[in-house]
């Protein structure tokens, strides 16, 4: 089939690469416009656009996929199908109707669980033991279309959302290509999603990523892992923000109030609503990540000091 791929971030690249190596013809890439990022606020291409540039594939970056100029280009390009991975914009009905086989979306959850922008982060945050990826037919509703196929993936006890998303992006690329093959062969069958088991996964905000030390230790651990690497779990110490990287759970023989710090020679412990957790790395504002023990020495953490 002739394919136009729609995707934006790094997790879209494994699927983009797999499609380019498949039996199908990749004739274009649609991605979000170049954006300013980083400390210098430089204008950067999306990872999907950068990949397409390197491989000589035409790139389109409409501000809105409803723009008439983009719709005209899509009609002229005449793709048989548009595979989608984390494109980042709502696709209007006018665009959905152009390819004969529609837009086919790889979503990183077992639908109808975790419909929305942040399925992997919510799976980690809520302690799911198993998650997965689904390929479904894109329609006007938010991740509501019939499902062509899915795969499962165990959530490991120490997984960050970044770890889990990397594995799902790689495995999901193979699933997406298999569905595209089946669509061309006429053997694909999309099954409507059940009405039971629906859960929503809205974008995780910076405020959502603030560590609640008055939560139990297991909930602190999940929040930190869910928000790593983005948007980044954080807390405040002496009115300054500090990023918290994954912590360790255990049976620590110390009684600490929520947020209270205890510095030992080889570890830094923090109290929660249940047992303490051990800090791994932290990242003060404007600095690189460092071992919690190095940070505590430099900050001169004293008895009774605590995170807010």
């Amino acid at each position: 089939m002739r394919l136009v791929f729609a995707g934006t971030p790094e997790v879209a690249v494994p699927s983009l690469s797999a499609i380019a190596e498949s039996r199908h013809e990749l004739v274009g890439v649609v991605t979000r416009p170049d954006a300013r990022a980083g400390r210098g606020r430089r204008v950067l291409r999306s990872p999907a656009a950068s990949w397409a540039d390197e491989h000589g594939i035409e790139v389109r970056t409409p501000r809105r996929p409803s723009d008439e100029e983009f719709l005209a280009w899509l009609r002229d390009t005449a793709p048989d199908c548009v595979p989608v991975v984390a494109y980042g914009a709502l696709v209007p009905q006018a665009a959905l109707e152009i390819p004969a086989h529609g837009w086919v979306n790889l979503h990183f959850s077992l639908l109808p669980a975790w419909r929305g922008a942040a399925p992997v982060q919510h799976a980690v945050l809520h302690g799911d033991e198993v998650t997965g990826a689904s390929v479904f037919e894109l329609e006007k509703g938010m991740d509501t279309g019939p499902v062509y196929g899915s795969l499962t993936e165990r959530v490991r006890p120490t997984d960050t959302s970044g770890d889990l998303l990397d594995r799902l992006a790689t495995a999901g690329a193979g699933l997406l290509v298999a569905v595209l093959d089946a669509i061309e062969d006429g053997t694909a069958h999309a099954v409507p999603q059940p009405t039971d088991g629906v859960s929503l996964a809205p974008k995780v905000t910076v405020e959502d990523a603030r560590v609640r030390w008055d939560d139990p230790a297991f909930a602190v651990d999940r929040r930190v892992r869910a928000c790593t690497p983005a948007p980044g779990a954080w807390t405040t110490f002496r009115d300054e923000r500090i990023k918290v990287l994954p912590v360790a759970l255990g049976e620590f023989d110390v009684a600490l109030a929520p947020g209270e710090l205890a510095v030992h020679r080889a570890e830094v412990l923090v109290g929660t609503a249940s047992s303490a957790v051990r800090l791994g790395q932290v990242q003060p504002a404007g600095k690189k990540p460092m071992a919690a023990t190095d940070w505590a020495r430099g900050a001169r953490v004293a008895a009774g000091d605590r995170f807010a």
Side-chain angles (χ1 to χ4, degrees):
M1 294 188 293
R2 283 172 58 82
L3 303 177
V4 168
F5 180 86
T8 299
E10 194 65 43
V11 294
V13 173
S15 289
L16 184 50
S17 179
I19 287 169
E21 294 173 2
S22 73
R23 73 195 197 197
H24 307 287
E25 181 186 6
L26 181 62
V27 296
V29 169
V30 181
T31 187
R32 300 299 293 147
D34 300 352
R36 295 189 180 276
R39 282 181 148 188
R41 306 301 294 166
R42 292 184 301 136
V43 176
L44 299 177
R45 298 279 269 170
S46 76
S50 296
W51 186 96
D53 292 342
E54 291 172 8
H55 292 80
I57 306 296
E58 183 178 5
V59 177
R60 289 285 165 149
T61 59
R63 291 195 175 279
R64 293 175 299 275
S66 58
D67 291 348
E68 187 51 46
E69 182 181 353
F70 168 69
L71 294 175
W73 173 83
L74 193 62
R75 292 188 198 99
D76 290 343
T77 305
D80 296 303
C81 186
V82 179
V84 188
V85 183
Y87 172 44
L90 292 176
V91 181
Q93 189 65 32
L96 294 175
E97 292 173 353
I98 291 173
H101 297 289
W103 294 50
V104 177
N105 190 40
L106 171 63
H107 182 77
F108 298 115
S109 82
L110 294 173
L111 291 170
W114 303 131
R115 293 174 177 170
V120 175
Q121 289 164 310
H122 281 273
V124 175
L125 181 63
H126 289 82
D128 291 1
E129 295 182 355
V130 176
T131 186
S134 305
V135 174
F136 70 98
E137 182 181 346
L138 206 63
E139 59 181 29
K140 211 169 182 184
M142 175 65 75
D143 302 332
T144 57
V147 175
Y148 283 106
S150 62
L151 59 83
T152 59
E153 177 70 30
R154 187 173 72 88
V155 183
R156 300 168 187 170
T158 59
D159 270 342
T160 66
S161 62
D163 297 331
L164 184 54
L165 190 54
D166 285 347
R167 297 203 305 275
L168 288 172
T170 300
L175 174 65
L176 180 58
V177 170
V179 168
L180 293 170
D181 290 349
I183 289 173
E184 184 184 38
D185 293 342
T187 58
H189 179 57
V191 178
Q193 294 183 34
T195 55
D196 294 334
V198 175
S199 53
L200 302 181
K203 181 179 178 180
V204 175
T205 67
V206 172
E207 188 54 38
D208 293 332
R210 183 170 189 161
V211 181
R212 283 86 159 145
W213 299 108
D214 54 358
D215 280 349
F218 76 85
V220 169
D221 168 60
R222 289 177 186 173
R223 185 174 301 276
V224 173
R225 290 188 292 111
C227 297
T228 301
W234 62 279
T235 188
T236 56
F237 181 72
R238 296 174 185 164
D239 296 325
E240 292 189 2
R241 185 176 294 196
I242 182 170
K243 186 179 288 187
V244 180
L245 280 78
V247 301
L249 301 175
E251 296 297 326
F252 302 112
D253 189 19
V254 60
L256 297 171
E260 184 180 358
L261 291 156
V263 180
H264 303 290
R265 190 170 186 176
E267 64 185 9
V268 179
L269 303 178
V270 191
T272 73
S274 56
S275 57
V277 297
R278 183 174 64 232
L279 293 181
Q281 288 188 313
V282 298
Q283 186 176 1
K287 297 184 179 180
K288 294 181 179 180
M290 63 180 70
T293 49
D294 293 339
W295 164 77
R297 276 194 299 271
R300 298 177 182 267
V301 176
D305 279 346
R306 66 176 59 209
F307 289 140

